[in-house]
Amino acid sequence: MGSIVKSGAIKTSCYGLSGGFDFGNRGVINKPTVVLVSRQARFTCVRMKFSHSLFPTSAKPRLVKAHASGDLEGVTPTKVQDKSSSSVLPYVGVACLGAILFGYHLGVVNGALEYLSKDLGIAENAVLQGWVVSTLLAGATVGSFTGGALADKFGRTKTFQLDAIPLAVGAFLCATAQSVQTMIVGRLLAGIGIGISSAIVPLYISEISPTEIRGTLGSVNQLFICVGILAALVAGLPLASNPLWWRTMFGIAAIPSVLLAVGMAVSPESPRWLYQQGKIPEAELAIKRLFGKEKVREVMDDLDASSRGTMEPEAGWSDLFSKRYWKVVNVGAALFLFQQLAGINAVVYYSTSVFRSAGIVSDVAASALVGASNVFGTTVASSLMDKQGRKSLLLISFAGMAASMLLLSLSFSWNVLAPYSGTLAVVGTVLYVLSFSLGAGPVPALLLPEIFASRIRAKAVALSLGMHWVANFVIGLYFLSVVTKFGISKVYLGFASVCLLAVLYISGNVVETKGRSLEEIERELNPAI
């Protein structure tokens, strides 16, 4: 048998293999109580409070035995009805405004660049056009590194409100720019805004989502990024008949920025962040708003268990590289590096040329096909995230991307396939984008907040996303030069090799997190020292 706990007054909740159980009520048990807990059950008992009352030693103890199955002899566990997860959806929707802006600002310049270049007098200056495009990525790198620190200091919802400032001001400057310098400043501010969003949107969603649907809600982040990119594409349709429409395209982005600030003003703060700050009453109130009053005690007990009875100080950047956390931080950074080095941006960038070789001459049609494939795959992934699991989707995704890249490489290099090269190239591109959207796209942003301990979560997510933006910037800068030197076939073959390396790395280093609370994952991966 397991441990024996004797007490006069016990206020406890024990969590076993099938959930939470309440021994007696929360009041005082006015006689000695002996609780026998089976070792097989492996319960963790938390928040135990003992009174100082003295009891007669002649009283006979009452025995309660807990079995591994979760059944109790002599005690009927109280079944807590889960509040509908729909109560969380409005707040997830508000957070996803940041994801929409992420995708919109990334995509809006593609259609508008030709027209704004003529309007600002840089039509013949490729260098300045490059600055207009790449300044957003530079700003996003800065924003992603600062987003974590802001989220730790001010909280998740206040950071969203602060983030709305560079997003709205950046959109306004781009829309009203009369010089390329103003346009670049606007793009820089918008980049800082989407960099912060890229860090805190998945962080906030993971911390407010019920365990059973956390994967589905987390993948919505990637889905709305795709929606934002498609929205930018649709917004550019009037350009052909109205060359000055590019200003409206940039200005539109200010609207969701304002809605994000207003929405977060009435959204609950992350209970986990409040608990980490020692704001227990506020944390309980946030849990009540998110999950219902029935879940307050359960979630608070889980947070107590995760803290192990101590309130550790807020982690610094150096803590991310300590022995305790380095393994999970390494996984986070590696997943985003694999995501980018596997060639997604290069494939999207080169898709127009690929489709033209197949006879699809419309840039809009090519972009729409890629965008639709991305949205469709991400939608499928969101429905599978909590059923199939994060790790298996990653493995399937990178394996599919490797096969697609190999097909693309062969379509450009094998003479025997020359008559079908255009068709195979289109098929390979669409399959690659579909494979990417099933796992490599949505899973890293979802998985990282799950595997990082609460005290390092914001900074570790920010660091990992910083790696994403650095890799994104480098690939965008050097991709065409590498293609010119080695040829597109060899470059695609290199991307296929990266995808296969990712499969090997994920198999040996990534843990499955579906169906487990953030606190359970934290206790396994980040044991207290």
Side-chain angles (χ1 to χ4, degrees):
M1 298 301 292
S3 58
I4 299 178
V5 180
K6 297 182 179 181
S7 72
I10 300 181
K11 177 182 178 183
T12 181
S13 176
C14 293
Y15 284 86
L17 300 180
S18 59
F21 305 98
D22 193 4
F23 291 90
N25 53 38
R26 291 181 70 96
V28 174
I29 303 173
N30 292 312
K31 58 181 177 179
T33 302
V34 179
V35 181
L36 298 183
V37 182
S38 167
R39 282 185 183 176
Q40 193 177 13
R42 299 179 184 176
F43 286 139
T44 301
C45 297
V46 297
R47 301 184 76 183
M48 304 188 68
K49 298 184 178 180
F50 300 88
S51 72
H52 299 287
S53 304
L54 297 176
F55 301 93
T57 57
S58 60
K60 294 182 180 180
R62 180 166 59 92
L63 300 182
V64 180
K65 185 177 181 180
H67 292 278
S69 63
D71 296 328
L72 301 178
E73 294 180 6
V75 175
T76 302
T78 302
K79 293 189 78 173
V80 178
Q81 297 295 328
D82 288 340
K83 185 180 180 181
S84 173
S85 59
S86 61
S87 61
V88 180
L89 295 181
Y91 309 122
V92 172
V94 172
C96 282
L97 288 171
I100 292 175
L101 286 165
F102 182 136
Y104 189 85
H105 279 292
L106 280 177
V108 70
V109 75
N110 291 337
L113 184 61
E114 177 185 351
Y115 299 90
L116 73 86
S117 296
K118 292 178 181 177
D119 207 15
L120 299 180
I122 58 170
E124 305 299 325
N125 194 326
V127 174
L128 286 179
Q129 290 182 36
W131 274 103
V132 170
V133 174
S134 61
T135 301
L136 184 85
L137 300 179
T141 304
V142 174
S144 64
F145 279 115
T146 58
L150 291 172
D152 275 341
K153 184 174 180 61
F154 299 109
R156 295 10 175 180
T157 56
K158 284 187 174 60
T159 300
F160 271 113
Q161 291 175 286
L162 290 172
D163 185 34
I165 297 173
L167 285 170
V169 174
F172 176 78
L173 289 178
C174 290
T176 59
Q178 299 299 320
S179 67
V180 68
Q181 290 82 4
T182 304
M183 171 60 70
I184 289 174
V185 171
R187 291 283 287 172
L188 179 65
L189 288 174
I192 291 172
I194 68 170
I196 295 173
S197 293
S198 70
I200 61 174
V201 172
L203 176 67
Y204 180 71
I205 292 176
S206 71
E207 291 187 341
I208 69 168
S209 297
T211 299
E212 61 273 12
I213 59 169
R214 191 177 62 241
T216 299
L217 294 182
S219 61
V220 168
N221 172 53
Q222 180 68 21
L223 177 61
F224 275 95
I225 291 175
C226 300
V227 169
I229 294 173
L230 280 179
L233 174 65
V234 172
L237 293 178
L239 278 170
S241 58
N242 183 5
L244 292 179
W245 179 255
W246 68 267
R247 294 187 180 276
T248 303
M249 291 172 63
F250 283 101
I252 288 173
I255 298 174
S257 303
V258 174
L259 293 176
L260 177 64
V262 174
M264 278 298 161
V266 297
S267 296
E269 182 54 82
S270 161
R272 290 171 174 85
W273 180 81
L274 291 169
Y275 182 91
Q276 191 71 24
Q277 302 300 308
K279 300 178 179 180
I280 306 303
E282 292 92 334
E284 292 178 341
L285 183 60
I287 295 167
K288 182 178 179 181
R289 289 183 63 190
L290 289 167
F291 312 124
K293 62 181 180 181
E294 302 89 355
K295 303 287 287 184
V296 172
R297 181 182 175 190
E298 179 183 335
V299 176
M300 289 302 297
D301 283 345
D302 212 11
L303 289 169
D304 282 342
S306 179
S307 71
R308 298 183 180 276
T310 64
M311 293 298 291
E312 296 182 271
E314 182 180 308
W317 286 102
S318 60
D319 290 321
L320 302 184
F321 305 99
S322 66
K323 182 179 179 181
R324 179 180 177 185
Y325 296 122
W326 170 241
K327 182 177 180 180
V328 289
V329 172
N330 176 64
V331 169
L335 285 179
F336 271 112
L337 285 174
F338 279 127
Q339 182 195 70
Q340 294 303 305
L341 295 177
I344 179 61
N345 291 314
V347 168
V348 172
Y349 183 90
Y350 207 68
S351 63
T352 300
S353 298
V354 169
F355 291 144
R356 281 177 180 168
S357 69
I360 302 176
V361 297
S362 172
D363 293 354
V364 173
S367 299
L369 184 57
V370 171
S373 301
N374 204 359
V375 171
F376 175 75
T378 305
T379 303
V380 173
S382 67
S383 66
L384 296 176
M385 202 68 68
D386 289 307
K387 299 176 184 178
Q388 189 72 24
R390 286 62 148 162
K391 183 175 182 177
S392 59
L393 283 178
L394 278 174
L395 292 172
I396 292 170
S397 176
F398 276 106
M401 290 161 66
S404 302
M405 276 295 180
L406 183 60
L407 178 60
L408 283 167
S409 178
L410 294 178
S411 70
F412 283 106
S413 60
W414 277 20
N415 292 331
V416 69
L417 297 177
Y420 318 101
S421 61
T423 302
L424 290 176
V426 171
V427 171
T429 299
V430 172
L431 287 178
Y432 177 90
V433 173
L434 279 172
S435 298
F436 175 86
S437 61
L438 282 174
V443 171
L446 164 65
L447 187 67
L448 267 56
E450 293 182 325
I451 65 175
F452 293 146
S454 56
R455 68 186 295 259
I456 68 163
R457 188 171 292 141
K459 288 186 176 68
V461 169
L463 176 66
S464 301
L465 281 161
M467 297 298 100
H468 162 276
W469 287 113
V470 169
N472 194 335
F473 182 80
V474 171
I475 290 173
L477 192 62
Y478 292 108
F479 173 68
L480 286 181
S481 300
V482 173
V483 169
T484 301
K485 184 174 182 179
F486 297 102
I488 189 64
S489 178
K490 290 182 179 178
V491 172
Y492 279 169
L493 192 61
F495 287 146
S497 301
V498 171
C499 293
L500 291 176
L501 286 175
V503 170
L504 295 176
Y505 180 87
I506 292 164
S507 298
N509 294 279
V510 175
V511 299
E512 185 54 71
T513 59
K514 72 168 183 175
R516 305 169 68 187
S517 73
L518 297 182
E519 287 67 41
E520 288 177 310
I521 299 167
E522 178 174 342
R523 288 195 291 273
E524 177 182 338
L525 297 181
N526 305 279
I529 295 178

